[in-house]
Amino acid sequence: MTTVLADRHVFGVIVPSTNTAVEDEYYRFRAPGVSFHAGRILIRNAVLDSDEDMENFLVDLRGEIGAAVESVLTCRPDSLIMGMSAETFWGGVEGNAEFERWIKEMSGLDVVTGASATHTALQRLGVRRIGVITPYQPVADEQVRAYFTELGYEVHAVHGLKCGSATSIAEVTPEEIRAAFAKVDGPGVEALVQAGTNLPVIGVAAALEEELNKPVVPINAASLWHAYRTHGIKDRIPGAGRLLATL
């Protein structure tokens, strides 16, 4: 259902209630005639300071996703974007595929996940050797590594920032993001990738790409790019890196 204010596409965005980055970044790089409408996944316990807490966070997340989807469907969006990423990497390629099937069966709509979007972006960029940063604990970092490895990427390094809560992810500074990328870069690394949708990376990515002369793929930029291109929105949008600006 397009609207008077969004005559090209209405996106429903499923986002954890603790997340303050996704909607902000999406609207900064909104194509004309497009709108985003959030179904928020209620997170009752935002603590993430151990592997066990990370896994408990995902259990809570799964239990509330259905309610968030049901809620956002009432505005009659044309398709969905998953504005959360850890769950989409869990269980490797099949885990993400099963998650996508579940959401599509529940909603009846096409869905873009962060895991699929980053893979599609890396394919489009023609790169295979990557360095990855996340806000996660080691248990989730290993799921991210396993996902990309299963797809045939050579993962040079994964650096998790081990953020202590779901809300503190959004407090990571540009300087800390730059330092994290430096830890996973190296000779032969063709692209830098970021997971964790509450980590505010798009603002750093474009400048870092120019400095390093290699692609930097923030997950929110990849998801937005994949959602746009999947639905025929081919606008070139500057300021978010080469994906949205040129591809």
Side-chain angles (χ1 to χ4, degrees):
M1 172 187 160
T2 54
T3 69
V4 171
L5 297 179
D7 58 359
R8 297 173 76 188
H9 203 89
V10 174
F11 291 103
V13 182
I14 307 303
V15 61
S17 60
T18 50
N19 190 300
T20 55
V22 165
E23 292 151 289
D24 185 288
E25 291 192 328
Y26 282 15
Y27 269 105
R28 286 174 189 264
F29 304 102
R30 181 175 67 91
V34 164
S35 63
F36 306 105
H37 307 278
R40 301 188 75 81
I41 307 164
L42 179 60
I43 304 297
R44 294 179 175 84
N45 184 356
V47 175
L48 294 175
D49 59 7
S50 69
D51 282 351
E52 182 180 3
D53 286 330
M54 184 77 209
E55 290 178 313
N56 289 337
F57 173 83
L58 289 173
V59 170
D60 289 344
L61 193 82
R62 291 170 195 138
E64 296 289 342
I65 286 174
V69 171
E70 181 181 10
S71 172
V72 82
L73 288 178
T74 61
C75 78
R76 299 175 63 193
D78 298 305
S79 67
L80 299 179
I81 308 173
M82 300 310 298
M84 36 73 74
S85 63
E87 177 71 4
T88 71
F89 289 106
W90 223 266
V93 174
E94 180 53 34
N96 178 59
E98 178 57 35
F99 182 81
E100 290 178 346
R101 286 192 292 268
W102 176 51
I103 296 298
K104 187 163 186 176
E105 288 172 4
M106 186 191 315
S107 66
L109 300 177
D110 291 335
V111 58
V112 165
T113 65
S116 290
T118 50
H119 172 46
T120 303
L122 292 169
Q123 285 184 306
R124 182 71 177 83
L125 291 162
V127 299
R128 302 305 295 176
R129 193 164 194 251
I130 61 175
V132 185
I133 71 168
T134 84
Y136 304 144
Q137 299 294 331
V139 65
D141 288 343
E142 288 311 306
Q143 294 289 331
V144 174
R145 180 191 293 274
Y147 175 81
F148 286 117
T149 300
E150 186 179 349
L151 287 168
Y153 296 97
E154 182 181 345
V155 182
H156 171 69
V158 178
H159 177 68
L161 291 163
K162 300 183 178 68
C163 295
S165 72
T167 51
S168 68
I169 295 171
E171 298 167 5
V172 178
T173 67
E175 294 73 25
E176 290 171 320
I177 290 167
R178 283 176 166 270
F181 275 129
K183 289 179 182 292
V184 301
D185 198 7
V189 172
E190 298 172 301
L192 300 174
V193 179
Q194 170 255 328
T197 62
N198 204 22
L199 198 61
V201 172
I202 290 183
V204 177
L208 201 55
E209 282 186 330
E210 292 297 321
E211 293 169 22
L212 299 176
N213 194 30
K214 65 180 65 176
V216 179
V217 183
I219 196 161
N220 288 343
S223 295
L224 194 55
W225 168 82
H226 190 35
Y228 281 168
R229 301 303 184 255
T230 298
H231 296 288
I233 299 165
K234 299 181 180 180
D235 304 47
R236 272 37 177 178
I237 301 174
R242 68 182 66 181
L243 271 177
L244 283 164
T246 61
L247 299 177

